[in-house]
Amino acid sequence: MFTLNRWQSRTAALMALSVTVGTVAPLITASPSLAQTTFSDVSSNYWAAQFIQQLSQRGVIAGFPDGSFRPEEPVTRAQFAAMVNKAFQKTQQRQTINFTDVPSNYWASSAIEQAYSIGFLSGYPGNRFEPNQAIPREQVLVSLANGLEYSPSGNTESTLQYFNDASNIASYARSPIAAATQKQIVVNYPNVKLLKPTATATRAQVAAFIYQALVSSNQASAINSPYVVAVGSTTPTPVSVTIAQGTAIPVKYDKAEKILVTKDETAPLTLTVSQNVVTQDGSSVVIPAGSQVIGQLKPATGGSQFVAQKLVLTNGQEYQLNATSEVITKTETVKKGISTGSIIKNTVLGAGAATAISAVTGDRAIATEEVLGGAGIGALVGLFFGKKSVDLIAIDPNTDLQMTINQNLLVSLR
């Protein structure tokens, strides 16, 4: 959230209002505000960078307080249970059970119970779960295939023979892994033909598997990676669909609770899609959560309106977008003598709004050169000089910026 000091140090960025926000997706649990999506130990050319970035943006995985992700660290069965619960939402498939080695006060007890009840994970003989056991790669793939209720088509062994180490796959795992392979959930780095089924799954590997499972169930856009195994794929041929005029695009802006602009100013603004937009029959995602909508807040009759210009999907595809929000007419009056800190707390300001607040309150700390920008500074100050109050358009970014498509939009499903 923004305080006066942070405003003074980041005024140029706030003037542009071009802040990208965290998102929430259907079938994905809410991600924390200001969720980290880049990590000190995950370079842009790291093999799993895109998988990690996408899942962290969705709130499925997170980094550590020191800014790292630790992609090579092992994942325990308890940690994996927490991840699948955040990634997938399913109705209960079976009654929950109390595992003898998972006390009620264990940090992941509810996640383990949920992962079991929706069919993603099972226990061991003796009613044990082994929550602290490092989970092997084959268990991760079996969990995802079983949880999503995938079965292999054709001959299981014919599919598995693609892997040079297929003989190492346990008997219980062969059919589910064949199904996962056909659904392109399997990601093998650096050798795509080596499954390494008994090796402990790392955080990076689990991120790749879970993301591909989302792709396979049409909940995310495919990432172009040479390490995704495509043998025996039953994935349908990529097609394009038309998003009809009138379709709503839910968006969210988590880095501020309020946006203030003058009724006459235009300010660039980048939003993020907060929920998957799906086809009419619900079978496919056409705009994945996490996609960006780039546009402007512009003057409109009686207020301000968000006008979209471009849609950037999570896979990098870009489309020109004709979509707008409703006209926002709510106002907030700023009067002489009011505390500047109370106005801008948890708020971002357009350049005009910053100038107006500065002129009316007399707080020159807001009207910095970085905010007002070059030659326009004199004209902006003149608009509000001598005024004792000013009415600003007050935008609640969580409710006021939802938009509707004004013209049919053709997009690729993958």
Side-chain angles (χ1 to χ4, degrees):
M1 298 302 178
F2 294 95
T3 62
L4 179 58
N5 288 337
R6 287 185 64 191
W7 165 262
Q8 292 171 336
S9 65
R10 299 179 63 184
T11 49
L14 295 180
M15 177 182 70
L17 295 179
S18 56
V19 182
T20 304
V21 302
T23 65
V24 176
L27 311 184
I28 303 292
T29 58
S31 62
S33 297
L34 311 183
Q36 184 178 1
T37 58
T38 58
F39 304 95
S40 59
D41 54 354
V42 179
S43 62
S44 60
N45 61 353
Y46 181 67
W47 73 268
Q50 292 187 71
F51 300 112
I52 292 169
Q53 181 181 23
Q54 290 299 322
L55 283 194
S56 62
Q57 189 173 42
R58 290 166 177 258
V60 176
I61 55 178
F64 294 87
D66 64 359
S68 67
F69 182 77
R70 305 176 194 175
E72 303 304 320
E73 280 197 358
V75 175
T76 67
R77 283 170 52 81
Q79 291 168 344
F80 181 67
M83 292 178 190
V84 295
N85 285 330
K86 290 179 180 179
F88 306 97
Q89 181 180 2
K90 286 182 60 183
T91 58
Q92 184 171 328
Q93 306 292 311
R94 54 189 176 184
Q95 292 297 317
T96 59
I97 62 175
N98 295 319
F99 293 105
T100 59
D101 55 353
V102 181
S104 59
N105 62 352
Y106 183 66
W107 73 269
S109 61
S110 61
I112 291 169
E113 181 179 289
Q114 176 70 6
Y116 175 85
S117 70
I118 61 178
F120 276 92
L121 284 167
S122 295
Y124 289 97
N127 211 27
R128 294 175 298 107
F129 185 79
E130 302 290 352
N132 298 319
Q133 180 187 84
I135 190 167
R137 283 165 54 87
E138 67 181 358
Q139 274 193 25
V140 174
L141 294 171
V142 169
S143 169
L144 295 173
N146 288 344
L148 295 172
E149 301 178 54
Y150 290 156
S151 298
S153 61
N155 185 276
T156 293
E157 296 306 315
S158 295
T159 298
L160 295 182
Q161 71 180 4
Y162 174 84
F163 303 111
N164 292 340
D165 53 354
S167 61
N168 295 334
I169 302 173
S171 57
Y172 81 91
R174 300 185 79 82
S175 180
I177 288 179
T181 302
Q182 293 171 0
K183 290 291 186 178
Q184 297 191 17
I185 295 174
V186 181
V187 185
N188 292 336
Y189 171 87
N191 187 339
V192 75
K193 300 204 71 174
L194 284 180
L195 182 65
K196 298 182 180 179
T198 61
T200 296
T202 66
R203 284 167 52 81
Q205 292 166 1
V206 170
F209 289 157
I210 290 179
Y211 188 82
Q212 284 302 112
L214 289 169
V215 173
S216 75
S217 54
N218 292 315
Q219 296 176 64
S221 295
I223 289 173
N224 184 19
S225 169
Y227 307 110
V228 175
V229 178
V231 63
S233 172
T234 59
T235 303
T237 302
V239 296
S240 294
V241 296
T242 297
I243 304 176
Q245 177 181 343
T247 298
I249 302 180
V251 292
K252 200 170 184 181
Y253 186 81
D254 283 342
K255 290 194 174 182
E257 296 176 2
K258 183 172 57 181
I259 299 172
L260 292 178
V261 294
T262 67
K263 65 179 181 179
D264 299 316
E265 74 174 296
T266 297
L269 182 64
T270 297
L271 303 173
T272 300
V273 177
S274 62
Q275 294 182 344
N276 288 335
V277 178
V278 300
T279 52
Q280 189 171 5
D281 62 5
S283 62
S284 300
V285 174
V286 288
I287 302 178
S291 300
Q292 293 184 342
V293 179
I294 299 170
Q296 295 179 317
L297 287 170
K298 302 183 72 172
T301 304
S304 183
Q305 181 180 40
F306 180 74
V307 179
Q309 299 169 322
K310 182 189 298 185
L311 172 67
V312 183
L313 300 184
T314 55
N315 62 3
Q317 292 179 347
E318 297 185 4
Y319 300 92
Q320 295 302 307
L321 178 63
N322 182 345
T324 53
S325 70
E326 296 293 328
V327 177
I328 304 148
T329 58
K330 295 176 295 183
T331 60
E332 179 173 326
T333 301
V334 177
K335 297 181 179 180
K336 187 174 183 179
I338 194 171
S339 167
T340 302
S342 66
I343 300 171
I344 68 173
K345 182 180 180 181
N346 303 334
T347 303
V348 292
L349 311 174
T355 308
I357 294 171
S358 176
V360 170
T361 64
D363 187 347
R364 304 306 297 173
I366 294 180
T368 61
E369 182 177 349
E370 291 85 359
V371 171
L372 298 176
I377 186 168
L380 287 171
V381 170
L383 290 174
F384 308 106
F385 182 76
K387 288 192 174 185
K388 295 183 178 180
S389 68
V390 63
D391 291 330
L392 301 175
I393 303 299
I395 301 169
D396 182 338
N398 293 326
T399 58
D400 295 337
L401 299 177
Q402 311 306 307
M403 68 192 75
T404 302
I405 294 177
N406 300 323
Q407 183 178 0
N408 287 352
L409 176 65
L410 182 69
V411 300
S412 172
L413 280 181
R414 293 186 182 275

